[in-house]
Amino acid sequence: MLRAMKQKKTTPTMKDVAREAGVSLGTVSKVMNGIPVGESYRARVEQAAQRLGYLVNNYARGLKTNRTFCVALLLPSLRHPFFAALADEVVACLTRRGYRCILMITNFDPEAEHKCFRMVQQNKADGLIALTYSSDLVVDESLPIVTFDRHFGPAIPCVSSDNYCGGQMAAEKLLELGCRRLLMLHIGADIPGEAHKRSAGFGDYCRRRGADYTPILLQEGDTEQPFYRYLEEHIRDGSADFDGIFCSSDDVLLRIQAFLEQHGVSVPGDVQLIGYDGIPDYATGRYVCSTIVQPVDRMAETAVNILLDGGHAAAGASICLPVKYAWGGTTRS
Amino acid sequence: MLRAMKQKKTTPTMKDVAREAGVSLGTVSKVMNGIPVGESYRARVEQAAQRLGYLVNNYARGLKTNRTFCVALLLPSLRHPFFAALADEVVACLTRRGYRCILMITNFDPEAEHKCFRMVQQNKADGLIALTYSSDLVVDESLPIVTFDRHFGPAIPCVSSDNYCGGQMAAEKLLELGCRRLLMLHIGADIPGEAHKRSAGFGDYCRRRGADYTPILLQEGDTEQPFYRYLEEHIRDGSADFDGIFCSSDDVLLRIQAFLEQHGVSVPGDVQLIGYDGIPDYATGRYVCSTIVQPVDRMAETAVNILLDGGHAAAGASICLPVKYAWGGTTRS
DNA sequence: TTGTAAGCGTTATCAC
DNA sequence: GTGATAACGCTTACAA
């Protein structure tokens, strides 16, 4: 197989296919786009394309059509399994629908978030799915956006798990399991989003049932020190003033659990714990603690569907997806 | 604020900026690309761009220049923290260098991988970073590629942690900690990549030291049943025939540990365990087990650098980055 | 230096 | 139904 002269390393274009197939440019375009065309023509074009290894150039197409089949996903990090799972599912949904995903990681940095917004527009992504903590999301109105857990005004749909209901479920479960003095440990309660509804649901339920409960609310970015201080002050010789705790997320729970056990309090013997998120452990596939499970897959799918189908029609729609309680060892069964 | 007639929702183009600034198209282009231009012109163009909220259209630019500042990342999944961490770091590196990242998830499906390769070319990504299990990677020669852990011929650079050395370190450590009858549990040993060197290093070290060791090698995709069967057969009344195990990854270790404890064998009291990967637990920030730590950040950075700078120069370069041992509770300290 | 114009690879609007 | 042809928004010789 001699190939003496270095082929000009130029990928084949529609023009090449047209020449190869002996048809015109427009015809090739039609074939590539599934637009009806004479059967014999279609065959010749497809063969020619095959022979040449032709693939349509998405950049050229995007320039013409203003559709890039590309959606940007903005997340704070991938180090947290909840975010990772979300990304995994979003990419899967987008792929199924023939879209690509540009992944952007902000590390919780508002400036990085703004840079990303700019990049998204510049890159002509067809839409943006964002889970962000910055309070001001400034981006062109014409760009379809869907957020997770965060409200940016009525024009921007937000999908989340049913945090309020989840909070209620946690309270209900703890009471049902015999807890009488409840604690609620919430970090990130200042964010004007969905997540703070977890504590609202929990509190409302307790109040309605006349249950004894103490909320400790911390701001996003705070240290969890106040939690530990409180626990310390309310534990005497391995016996605690409380017997049930609802934590605003599983990772908080895990740290609290370690702290309790370290102080001679047994879980779930003395104190029962329920968290929020419900991402299975990667090694065992089991939940790491008793928890309110967010339907990550449905959240991802819903976000993608709203973004792609809803257009601006679904604007203002705030979707809460149902959660469920799952046992994971930190409550009695 | 009256805005009776719906503005034509068209984003400003260079032409608009040129008109607004009273200069020519080419001048605007030069300004946007940092090419020297009269100071007064530059100022006027920049102001005009600002006023109009102009951003250069990357798709049009890419069409002209054949550079998209976009790199594709191909991973099997994001549900495994090692992959997630890798993705996190790769995106961070790319972002620092002004690149975007198209994330593709294959779920270990070879067909999905092939689809992705096609997409990458079609999308005119500037390069591809891939961690794949399919044995035949078919993709245009002109597309720069870097792999993790996997050799695809001399033309494609591969970055990995120093698996061989890691295997040796594990053996050395276990012997140093007093283990005398070692076990090596490896899954995925059939893949012609880097990871199988973990067991090679372990085995070689044991042999050189005349240490007693038993390897159990499983293929990728196999069930881990043979591991458990072996363990079962070699445990009598909570005492085991072995006192040290090297697992090919942390998640295998975690399952083995659970199994042992379930059978009355204490870790690290009776048996000490060392894994591979070393991704910290997201809740505590600590390693979930004693392990050989892969330098995820350096691996990501190296891959990105080779891809972006090395061009085809670094072709064939196989980079092994140094690992380290870290204690995580499954060995004696 | 700055302006002009020819493409880059598509799609879409026309006459044919 | 098929084939020219004019955009799409930009870069880049090249001319002024």
Side-chain angles (χ1 to χ4, degrees):
Chain A
M1 182 195 284
L2 75 168
R3 186 200 285 246
M5 36 180 45
K6 194 77 180 172
Q7 289 273 107
K8 283 219 54 151
K9 220 4 163 292
T10 176
T11 51
T13 98
M14 267 194 179
K15 218 187 283 184
D16 299 322
V17 177
R19 195 186 312 113
E20 175 86 8
V23 302
S24 90
L25 225 186
T27 306
V28 179
S29 174
K30 282 182 188 113
V31 172
M32 300 316 287
N33 288 293
I35 294 169
V37 86
E39 202 37 67
S40 68
Y41 283 78
R42 140 157 287 106
R44 283 164 59 197
V45 168
E46 274 166 355
Q47 280 167 32
Q50 186 83 46
R51 262 199 305 277
L52 269 44
Y54 170 78
L55 292 172
V56 345
N57 177 332
N58 274 332
Y59 268 65
R61 174 181 280 175
L63 180 58
K64 237 351 231 186
T65 58
N66 264 319
R67 308 220 35 210
T68 60
F69 291 93
C70 196
V71 165
L73 174 62
L74 188 59
L75 290 176
S77 157
L78 244 38
R79 295 283 186 159
H80 192 297
F82 175 68
F83 297 142
L86 213 41
D88 193 292
E89 292 294 337
V90 168
V91 170
C93 292
L94 288 174
T95 304
R96 275 199 296 277
R97 304 198 47 166
Y99 278 74
R100 283 162 267 119
C101 178
I102 294 199
L103 176 62
M104 300 173 147
I105 304 291
T106 63
N107 285 311
F108 302 90
D109 173 16
E111 200 190 322
E113 289 178 352
H114 284 114
K115 266 191 195 154
C116 288
F117 293 150
R118 276 231 319 282
M119 220 180 207
V120 172
Q121 291 183 229
Q122 189 163 338
N123 206 48
K124 299 270 171 258
D126 289 345
L128 170 62
I129 300 178
L131 174 16
T132 158
Y133 289 105
S134 91
S135 51
D136 55 331
L137 190 155
V138 192
V139 78
D140 190 299
E141 304 255 322
S142 68
L143 180 73
I145 301 185
V146 174
T147 66
F148 286 123
D149 284 354
R150 197 85 161 69
H151 296 294
F152 282 106
I156 297 178
C158 161
V159 0
S160 64
S161 64
D162 194 337
N163 287 275
Y164 187 83
C165 180
Q168 291 192 116
M169 282 176 54
E172 180 184 31
K173 200 72 196 177
L174 287 173
L175 292 173
E176 181 186 320
L177 289 167
C179 299
R180 287 302 166 255
R181 283 153 308 165
L182 301 178
L183 225 52
M184 180 176 62
L185 270 25
H186 194 156
I187 190 154
D190 58 320
I191 296 185
E194 276 293 323
H196 78 270
K197 294 186 181 165
R198 323 227 245 249
S199 19
F202 187 85
D204 288 356
Y205 190 90
C206 288
R207 239 171 287 123
R208 191 159 1 109
R209 292 280 299 267
D212 173 28
Y213 85 100
T214 309
I216 307 184
L217 273 43
L218 263 35
Q219 315 247 313
E220 180 71 28
D222 284 358
T223 95
E224 291 170 354
Q225 213 47 53
F227 290 164
Y228 303 125
R229 196 159 40 232
Y230 181 92
L231 297 183
E232 231 158 19
E233 289 167 0
H234 293 257
I235 298 176
R236 287 272 173 282
D237 306 321
S239 114
D241 281 3
F242 44 84
D243 53 13
I245 308 183
F246 176 43
C247 299
S248 59
S249 68
D250 289 349
D251 53 315
V252 170
L253 185 152
L254 262 18
R255 288 188 290 268
I256 297 295
Q257 180 180 9
F259 185 89
L260 290 175
E261 289 175 341
Q262 205 175 299
H263 284 70
V265 178
S266 99
V267 176
D270 302 328
V271 177
Q272 301 187 65
L273 267 36
I274 295 184
Y276 203 102
D277 276 352
I279 303 299
D281 178 67
Y282 71 102
T284 63
R286 289 198 302 258
Y287 295 114
V288 293
C289 58
S290 296
T291 187
I292 306 298
V293 182
Q294 301 204 53
V296 178
D297 49 352
R298 290 195 53 196
M299 291 170 66
E301 184 160 26
T302 305
V304 169
N305 287 346
I306 292 182
L307 192 75
L308 264 29
D309 305 329
H312 297 239
S318 226
I319 316 272
C320 283
L321 269 7
V323 296
K324 69 176 191 211
Y325 166 81
W327 182 83
T330 58
T331 47
R332 302 193 202 117
S333 38
Chain B
M1 184 193 282
L2 75 167
R3 187 199 284 245
M5 38 179 44
K6 195 75 177 172
Q7 289 273 107
K8 284 220 53 154
K9 219 9 163 283
T10 175
T11 51
T13 105
M14 266 194 181
K15 218 188 286 183
D16 299 321
V17 177
R19 194 184 315 113
E20 174 86 8
V23 302
S24 89
L25 223 184
T27 307
V28 179
S29 173
K30 280 177 189 120
V31 171
M32 301 316 287
N33 289 292
I35 295 169
V37 86
E39 203 35 68
S40 68
Y41 282 80
R42 141 157 286 106
R44 283 165 57 197
V45 168
E46 276 168 354
Q47 280 167 31
Q50 185 84 46
R51 263 199 303 278
L52 270 45
Y54 171 77
L55 292 172
V56 344
N57 177 331
N58 274 333
Y59 268 64
R61 175 181 277 175
L63 181 57
K64 246 339 240 190
T65 59
N66 265 318
R67 306 216 41 209
T68 59
F69 291 94
C70 195
V71 164
L73 173 63
L74 188 59
L75 290 175
S77 158
L78 245 37
R79 295 282 186 159
H80 191 298
F82 175 68
F83 296 142
L86 213 42
D88 193 294
E89 293 294 336
V90 167
V91 171
C93 292
L94 288 173
T95 303
R96 275 199 297 276
R97 304 199 46 166
Y99 278 75
R100 282 162 267 118
C101 178
I102 294 198
L103 176 63
M104 300 171 147
I105 304 292
T106 63
N107 285 311
F108 302 91
D109 173 15
E111 200 192 321
E113 290 178 352
H114 284 114
K115 267 191 194 152
C116 288
F117 294 149
R118 274 231 319 282
M119 220 179 207
V120 172
Q121 290 181 232
Q122 189 165 337
N123 206 48
K124 300 272 171 251
D126 289 345
L128 170 64
I129 300 178
L131 173 18
T132 158
Y133 290 105
S134 91
S135 50
D136 54 332
L137 190 156
V138 192
V139 78
D140 190 298
E141 304 253 322
S142 69
L143 179 73
I145 300 184
V146 174
T147 67
F148 286 123
D149 285 355
R150 197 83 164 68
H151 297 294
F152 281 107
I156 297 179
C158 162
V159 0
S160 63
S161 65
D162 194 338
N163 288 276
Y164 187 84
C165 180
Q168 289 191 117
M169 281 176 55
E172 181 186 31
K173 199 71 198 178
L174 286 173
L175 292 172
E176 181 187 320
L177 288 167
C179 299
R180 287 303 165 256
R181 283 152 310 164
L182 301 178
L183 224 52
M184 181 175 62
L185 269 24
H186 194 155
I187 190 154
D190 57 322
I191 297 187
E194 277 292 323
H196 78 271
K197 294 186 182 166
R198 324 229 246 248
S199 20
F202 187 87
D204 287 357
Y205 189 91
C206 289
R207 239 170 287 120
R208 194 162 355 112
R209 292 279 299 267
D212 172 28
Y213 85 100
T214 309
I216 307 185
L217 275 42
L218 262 33
Q219 316 245 313
E220 180 70 28
D222 283 0
T223 98
E224 292 170 352
Q225 212 48 54
F227 290 163
Y228 303 123
R229 195 157 43 232
Y230 181 92
L231 298 182
E232 228 158 20
E233 289 167 358
H234 293 258
I235 297 176
R236 286 272 172 282
D237 306 322
S239 110
D241 282 5
F242 45 83
D243 53 11
I245 308 183
F246 175 42
C247 299
S248 59
S249 68
D250 288 349
D251 54 314
V252 171
L253 184 151
L254 261 19
R255 288 188 289 268
I256 297 295
Q257 180 180 8
F259 185 90
L260 289 175
E261 290 175 341
Q262 204 175 300
H263 285 70
V265 178
S266 98
V267 176
D270 302 327
V271 177
Q272 301 187 66
L273 266 37
I274 294 184
Y276 203 100
D277 276 351
I279 303 300
D281 178 67
Y282 71 103
T284 62
R286 290 198 302 258
Y287 295 115
V288 293
C289 59
S290 297
T291 186
I292 305 299
V293 182
Q294 300 204 55
V296 177
D297 49 353
R298 291 195 53 196
M299 290 169 68
E301 184 161 26
T302 305
V304 169
N305 287 346
I306 292 181
L307 191 74
L308 264 30
D309 305 328
H312 297 237
S318 225
I319 315 274
C320 283
L321 269 7
V323 295
K324 69 175 192 212
Y325 166 80
W327 182 84
T330 57
T331 48
R332 302 196 200 112
S333 37

